[in-house]
Amino acid sequence: MKVSVETPATIANLGCGFDSFGLALPLYNIITVEETIMPGSGIEINILNNDSDNIPHDKNNIVFKAIELLYNYIGQAPTELKINIKTEIPVARGLGSSASVITGGLIAANELLGHPADEEVLLSIATEIEGHPDNITPAVTGGVTISALEDTGSITYRKLPWPLDWKIIVGIPDFELTTDISRSILPQNVPIQDAAFNLRRAAMFVEAVHTKDEELMKLALTDKLHQPYRMKLVPGLNSIMENLKHTEGVLGCVLAGAGPSIAVISNGKNMNEIKEIVQTTWNNININAKIHTWSVAQRGARIL
Ligand code: HSE
């Protein structure tokens, strides 16, 4: 028996919601997990794209690690499994590629095992592998989410009613930045004024989404906890933010997750000009980028 699951790309943080906010995008990976019946065939992991050089094909693969935790949860260990990972989501670009494959693998294995784990357990196992829930939750549920990893290891989350006409323009540059490197640059402590700044912005974000308040959203989409430190890892980020400041239709410009992609939140108007500004600003410093316009994907992971 085999099960395939499609899981979306995600953007975490969304400016002020470091390690908390996230949204799903209509770009998908497909993970297929097959229980092979041939004893001794072991664990086989195949990456079905041409961008797989740095992805482990052995038991260090994060999809396998997540599936192993699920088997352990029911007191078993995986012995004969074939895992195929078909990726459309580029790796190390801040688009949640790891959260996508972790959740896809887990949901597929859970189906194969006859649903021993509910959503709460799956979110918790996935976050144990990923480290933070902000990409994991929207990958599972779709939409725009706030999530928190509790001391018990469980995840508290809520989905926000994102206005359907607010679109996301995503600029994906042709260079990689791993989350590890992007996190290593962050300070261990931040000034209390900066923490208070983000606290206010996060509250504004939630209110702005609920009331579809564009002016409030413009104030909310700022950050002092991670983006200022990460600027130096993402050439062009500062200029793109500056160049978009007074552009019609822009509600804000944020680093996608740990970067290096950039997400412009817009009210759905003037999108060609916004795309052009992102493209040209990067081209001017010799960075090639693909620019997409997406709606938030309301549906999360699904079994095919
Ligand atoms: N919240 C995470 C970070 C997202 O900014 O490092 C990346 O996985």
Side-chain angles (χ1 to χ4, degrees):
M1 185 183 169
K2 68 175 170 187
V3 179
S4 295
V5 174
E6 175 191 80
T7 42
T10 49
I11 292 180
N13 301 329
L14 305 174
C16 58
F18 178 69
D19 275 1
S20 311
F21 295 167
L23 59 76
L25 293 173
L27 174 71
Y28 300 92
N29 285 341
I30 296 175
I31 296 86
T32 303
V33 182
E34 183 174 0
E35 266 190 318
T36 46
I37 38 171
M38 289 255 280
S41 56
I43 306 298
E44 179 185 330
I45 300 171
N46 303 303
I47 321 283
L48 309 176
N49 70 352
N50 44 22
D51 182 21
S52 66
D53 292 354
N54 300 322
I55 303 175
H57 288 59
D58 56 16
K59 290 182 178 178
N60 291 317
N61 183 288
I62 50 175
V63 181
F64 175 75
K65 285 184 175 177
I67 292 174
E68 189 175 38
L69 282 183
L70 179 66
Y71 273 73
N72 295 166
Y73 171 74
I74 54 167
Q76 295 182 19
T79 48
E80 272 84 37
L81 275 186
K82 183 168 165 185
I83 302 168
N84 285 345
I85 304 170
K86 185 164 174 283
T87 63
E88 291 293 332
I89 306 168
V91 297
R93 297 302 206 294
L95 297 176
S97 65
S98 62
S100 168
V101 294
I102 290 168
T103 53
L106 269 180
I107 291 169
N110 194 44
E111 182 77 8
L112 275 181
L113 291 168
H115 291 284
D118 58 12
E119 184 187 83
E120 195 181 334
V121 172
L122 293 175
L123 284 173
S124 173
I125 293 177
T127 303
E128 190 175 334
I129 299 287
E130 174 87 345
H132 26 83
D134 47 350
N135 282 310
I136 295 289
T137 309
V140 172
T141 66
V144 178
T145 58
I146 317 172
S147 34
L149 169 61
E150 307 297 351
D151 291 343
T152 56
S154 71
I155 306 301
T156 303
Y157 83 85
R158 292 293 182 273
K159 229 168 145 168
L160 297 182
W162 187 256
L164 290 182
D165 41 2
W166 288 5
K167 306 290 181 205
I168 323 293
I169 295 127
V170 183
I172 310 174
D174 62 0
F175 65 92
E176 297 186 357
L177 173 60
T178 65
T179 300
D180 284 351
I181 290 176
S182 190
R183 285 183 93 81
S184 71
I185 206 124
L186 301 179
Q188 289 302 309
N189 299 292
V190 293
I192 195 158
Q193 295 87 340
D194 292 353
F197 177 93
N198 269 55
L199 202 61
R200 292 189 287 270
R201 306 291 140 176
M204 288 179 192
F205 183 103
V206 175
E207 176 67 4
V209 169
H210 273 278
T211 56
K212 208 176 159 182
D213 185 334
E214 294 183 6
E215 292 311 309
L216 192 62
M217 198 60 173
K218 287 180 186 169
L219 294 171
L221 286 168
T222 45
D223 161 70
K224 290 199 176 182
L225 294 186
H226 69 110
Q227 292 180 176
Y229 304 101
R230 288 169 160 171
M231 286 280 177
K232 59 178 156 217
L233 298 176
V234 186
L237 171 60
N238 201 23
S239 309
I240 291 172
M241 283 177 168
E242 282 301 314
N243 293 346
L244 286 172
K245 231 173 201 165
H246 305 293
T247 306
E248 196 206 328
V250 173
L251 302 181
C253 176
V254 298
L255 188 63
S261 297
I262 289 173
V264 185
I265 318 294
S266 91
N267 63 7
K269 297 181 188 134
N270 201 23
M271 293 200 287
N272 285 340
E273 189 187 347
I274 297 170
K275 283 171 87 166
E276 184 64 31
I277 290 173
V278 177
Q279 186 78 266
T280 322
T281 311
W282 259 330
N283 282 350
N284 287 344
I285 54 169
N286 298 320
I287 292 175
N288 292 318
K290 291 197 173 118
I291 320 288
H292 300 267
T293 302
W294 278 309
S295 297
V296 169
Q298 289 305 325
R299 200 181 52 205
R302 76 181 173 113
I303 295 169
L304 297 175

